[in-house]
Amino acid sequence: MIKTTILDASTDNIIYCADLLKNGEVVAMPTETVYGLAANIFNDKAVSKIFEIKGRPQDNPLICHISNISMLDELTIDLHSEIFQKLIEKFWPGPLTVIVPRNKKVSNLITANLDTVAIRFPSHIVSRKLIEACGFPLAAPSANLSGKPSPTSANHVFYDLNGRIKAILDGGICEVGLESTIVKIEDDSLRVLRPGIISVDMLKEVTENIVLDDSVLNQIDPNSTVISPGTKYKHYSPNADIVLVDSSLDDFRTYVSDKLKENVWCAVFDGEQKCFDKNVLTFGYNEKDQAHNIFMVLRKFDELGASKVFFRCPKKENIGLAVYNRLLRAAAFNLVVL
Ligand code: TXA
Ligand code: MG
């Protein structure tokens, strides 16, 4: 078993982790969205360790993380499209991943044989320094075991990956708490493959032509071919069964009142907990808080040994859409509308 160490993000530790990455190891790094499990995108052996460590299916492609725009050359052949330039100007560095045609230099392991590549320029200073120290882009999925909630602290990563990786760079609690928004450029329109805190309304400042991919709100047949392979897998699941309840607070209270006992819990918005005398956690007041807290709260239910959790349904617009998208998956699409 490998000894896993959580390292503070000192310059020395960043250089140490960059050396590990140069030697073909994987390292967990903080980003502003969630923690990532990083490897050199140009080292297939290193990249294949990511799949092994996470238990990730090989047909699920990885995002390439860059720390300066000049790194784009090696990744894509779409450098000059107007829409890409506008996205870069407006949202990078930041929590937006863009899918563009790939440069052949990027291996099939990264792209899962697609002819596109996912690119992200994180804003978190530690990830930027780490990529800079490496001098190559880093492939990084979220640093959780496949199927588990994404990690938003170094301790979450430790909990999932202790004994599997050498180092976790600690950059504190992730500011956003939800994975990046993913968009695919399709001529002059944008297809949203995964909603995030960069909302559809914000993207509209770049183009009015925005399509929400079917997979954002619907369950995908695991045998089908989809644009974003990650959307067809079970995701974000704590041990408990999650039920998402779309209703008013009054109807929610009536629905769960005789169900809350032993290991059956509910999760409501901040301020609503006083309506319940036991087995209740809150997951934020507004959508931004909910995005920040949702994965933390899902993990908390595991710690509490919850076997079933009824969740209040968040708003479905703007940032709320991203929270709703993750909760739908955590609930394996078990949605009750009252
Ligand atoms: O915020 C984030 O994006 C975090 C941090 C670490 O940067 N990363 C992350 O990676 O969430 P991951 O692997 O958990 O999710 C990446 C998603 C997957 O659903 C994958 O299928 C999709 O991006 N993806 C990657 N490359 C793609 C491509 N070429 N076309 C379509 N979807 C792609
Ligand atoms: Mg993930």
Side-chain angles (χ1 to χ4, degrees):
M1 198 164 113
I2 300 170
K3 180 168 164 43
T4 303
T5 313
I6 298 181
L7 302 168
D8 67 69
S10 65
T11 303
D12 282 354
N13 285 337
I14 290 175
I15 290 169
Y16 166 71
C17 287
D19 285 341
L20 289 176
L21 289 159
K22 287 175 191 168
N23 287 326
E25 302 271 357
V26 297
V27 165
M29 67 169 177
T31 82
E32 72 278 19
T33 56
V34 301
Y35 276 72
L37 186 61
N40 176 0
I41 68 154
F42 297 121
N43 181 338
D44 266 5
K45 229 173 134 186
V47 173
S48 63
K49 286 183 191 165
I50 290 179
F51 289 91
E52 226 171 89
I53 290 167
K54 274 184 64 98
R56 183 181 177 99
Q58 291 267 358
D59 70 346
N60 196 358
L62 302 174
I63 298 173
C64 300
H65 295 68
I66 60 171
S67 59
N68 64 67
I69 295 296
S70 65
M71 283 180 168
L72 283 177
D73 276 334
E74 295 185 307
L75 301 178
T76 178
I77 50 172
D78 185 40
L79 282 176
H80 304 294
S81 87
E82 199 188 325
I83 199 159
F84 191 25
Q85 287 302 329
K86 279 191 183 162
L87 288 171
I88 291 173
E89 230 167 79
K90 242 187 150 27
F91 300 115
W92 278 3
L96 179 75
T97 296
V98 188
I99 313 262
V100 284
R102 71 189 267 203
N103 183 326
K104 282 278 185 298
K105 259 193 97 171
V106 183
S107 82
N108 282 321
L109 201 55
I110 300 277
T111 65
N113 296 309
L114 297 172
D115 51 16
T116 53
V117 61
I119 309 175
R120 171 158 134 68
F121 187 160
S123 62
H124 198 297
I125 191 68
V126 177
S127 46
R128 289 169 67 173
K129 282 185 178 167
L130 181 66
I131 302 164
E132 225 30 48
C134 287
F136 44 74
L138 294 175
S142 47
N144 50 299
L145 287 177
S146 223
K148 289 290 160 199
S150 294
T152 55
S153 72
N155 281 334
H156 291 167
V157 181
F158 188 84
Y159 185 85
D160 274 16
L161 302 182
N162 181 22
R164 298 177 191 233
I165 57 176
K166 277 193 183 152
I168 301 167
L169 260 183
D170 190 347
I173 293 186
C174 300
E175 190 188 334
V176 175
L178 268 194
E179 307 91 338
S180 59
T181 304
I182 303 183
V183 293
K184 184 172 187 204
I185 299 178
E186 296 181 336
D187 301 321
D188 63 345
S189 69
L190 283 178
R191 179 178 292 272
V192 177
L193 299 178
R194 182 173 71 188
I197 69 149
I198 293 184
S199 64
V200 171
D201 275 0
M202 289 163 79
L203 292 167
K204 278 198 178 143
E205 291 172 28
V206 167
T207 174
E208 282 292 319
N209 299 333
I210 295 185
V211 184
L212 206 56
D213 194 64
D214 273 352
S215 63
V216 170
L217 295 175
N218 299 296
Q219 194 159 20
I220 300 300
D221 173 358
N223 298 316
S224 65
T225 306
V226 291
I227 297 180
S228 186
T231 56
K232 69 184 179 184
Y233 294 108
K234 191 166 182 226
H235 242 104
Y236 316 123
S237 313
N239 297 328
D241 288 334
I242 305 289
V243 184
L244 191 54
V245 183
D246 189 354
S247 70
S248 65
L249 174 60
D250 273 352
D251 288 344
F252 182 87
R253 190 167 44 183
T254 310
Y255 183 73
V256 303
S257 63
D258 58 346
K259 299 185 175 78
L260 301 182
K261 54 188 167 215
E262 290 159 22
N263 297 329
V264 180
W265 287 72
C266 71
V268 299
F269 308 146
D270 283 21
E272 296 177 347
Q273 66 272 30
K274 54 183 180 297
C275 302
F276 305 86
D277 57 8
K278 57 173 175 302
N279 291 23
V280 60
L281 290 184
T282 60
F283 67 106
Y285 177 69
N286 57 30
E287 292 76 53
K288 203 168 173 201
D289 295 343
Q290 291 165 12
H292 183 259
N293 296 334
I294 187 68
F295 287 135
M296 220 154 18
V297 171
L298 285 171
R299 282 179 182 262
K300 184 90 193 154
F301 281 119
D302 277 353
E303 281 170 35
L304 291 166
S307 59
K308 193 165 199 166
V309 184
F310 295 94
F311 260 85
R312 286 268 280 139
C313 190
K315 280 198 191 142
K316 296 167 198 156
E317 299 110 45
N318 293 318
I319 299 174
L321 180 69
V323 183
Y324 179 61
N325 166 272
R326 306 309 192 276
L327 275 173
L328 267 178
R329 280 167 176 75
F333 289 85
N334 190 355
L335 174 70
V336 175
V337 183
L338 299 178

